[in-house]
Amino acid sequence: MTLIVGLRYLASSGAFALATRAVRPGLYAGLDKQIRREIGWSLASAAIYGAPAGIVAWGWRDRGWTQIYTDVHAWPLWYLPLSVLFYLAAHDTWFYWTHRWMHRPGPFKLAHAVHHASRPPTAWAAMAFHPVEALTGAVVIPLLVFVIPIHVGALGLVLGIMTVMGVTNHMGWEIFPRFMWRGAIGEWLITASHHQRHHAEYRCNYGLYFRFWDRLCGTDRGVGAFDPAARRVGRAGGDPARERRPGGEP
């Protein structure tokens, strides 16, 4: 499972990095050292993500421990899309609150600073986590399969959405059409334009898929801009401490 997670990361991030080279040539110029660091941390994270995934696969196949099912008629067909929404909402909730916790001074310095060292983030940064942060992200889907029934195909869709959103939110440009991030859908759905502002300002836009928790908790500052000047600061090694609150929280 570690191998599968690692290859999935290399394939997805590599594909979107190639797309970036084609559509935004030169966007990652001068970031070779940063990208090598992102790949290194991401492959380490893949090892951590692979462990609980392997336990789930074994528990499902050999022990029948999980709520994963293969017979599409085991639950009503209307439950298929609903189960996907349940998983995304639960994952988004977990991510929002653990992400906010990671921005407290202690956890940030210990772990989350690794991810924010990507200034600006690239398509390779989606899994560039310290092992502590990787562990918090690796357990949520494996825990859900023991609680919420889901068809194996729907679970594959959830993992696909997680992968695509994780990569595209860090690419440094907006791959989705304008109506998805400026229109009514964009009022609730997170894309790169929304997450870019988190990487620029640190103290806002903590969500993963949806803007629900950010809006509810007053941490939503809307979409950001892909500012070339900000990118130059990042390449020059700008200090994220300058963007911290007086009390110390990034």
Side-chain angles (χ1 to χ4, degrees):
M1 290 305 298
T2 290
L3 181 62
I4 289 173
V5 175
L7 290 175
R8 184 189 70 181
Y9 159 74
L10 292 173
S12 57
S13 289
F16 283 109
L18 286 175
T20 299
R21 178 178 293 184
V23 178
R24 298 287 191 276
L27 188 65
Y28 297 162
L31 296 178
D32 292 350
K33 183 178 180 180
Q34 175 184 307
I35 289 172
R36 287 193 296 270
R37 183 189 59 79
E38 290 170 347
I39 293 173
W41 282 113
S42 295
L43 292 178
S45 295
I48 295 172
Y49 273 75
I55 293 171
V56 165
W58 171 71
W60 167 52
R61 185 187 62 187
D62 296 342
R63 301 295 179 181
W65 288 344
T66 74
Q67 296 292 317
I68 303 172
Y69 62 94
T70 56
D71 181 1
V72 72
H73 298 293
W75 284 74
L77 291 179
W78 56 260
Y79 178 73
L80 280 173
L82 196 61
S83 65
V84 172
L85 183 59
F86 283 160
Y87 270 68
L88 294 179
H91 189 194
D92 188 68
T93 299
W94 175 271
F95 183 88
Y96 177 85
W97 289 107
T98 56
H99 193 187
R100 281 197 69 172
W101 173 73
M102 283 283 178
H103 275 264
R104 298 303 303 168
F108 187 90
K109 183 177 180 180
L110 171 67
H112 196 47
V114 166
H115 186 65
H116 275 280
S118 294
R119 294 172 60 83
T122 75
W124 297 101
M127 290 182 64
F129 303 133
H130 184 279
V132 170
E133 182 170 4
L135 186 60
T136 67
V139 298
V140 57
I141 299 297
L143 288 176
L144 288 175
V145 300
F146 290 98
V147 180
I148 303 177
I150 189 167
H151 185 269
V152 64
L155 179 59
L157 178 59
V158 169
L159 295 175
I161 293 172
M162 179 180 73
T163 300
V164 170
M165 297 302 288
V167 177
T168 58
N169 283 354
H170 291 89
M171 287 199 306
W173 59 284
E174 185 58 76
I175 193 172
F176 294 107
R178 186 177 179 87
F179 76 87
M180 286 188 63
W181 55 276
R182 276 295 189 190
I185 295 177
E187 292 295 312
W188 297 101
L189 185 68
I190 290 173
T191 67
S193 298
H194 188 268
H195 194 65
Q196 178 75 11
R197 191 155 198 170
H198 171 75
H199 277 269
E201 300 181 18
Y202 285 66
R203 301 189 300 269
C204 62
N205 296 15
Y206 296 104
L208 177 61
Y209 305 120
F210 310 115
R211 294 171 64 173
F212 171 79
W213 285 109
D214 275 310
R215 286 181 173 276
L216 183 65
C217 298
T219 56
D220 194 308
R221 293 189 183 173
V223 298
F226 302 102
D227 183 6
R231 298 182 65 86
R232 287 194 294 272
V233 170
R235 292 179 189 179
D239 182 5
R242 292 182 305 173
E243 300 181 60
R244 297 184 180 184
R245 294 180 180 176
E249 180 185 350

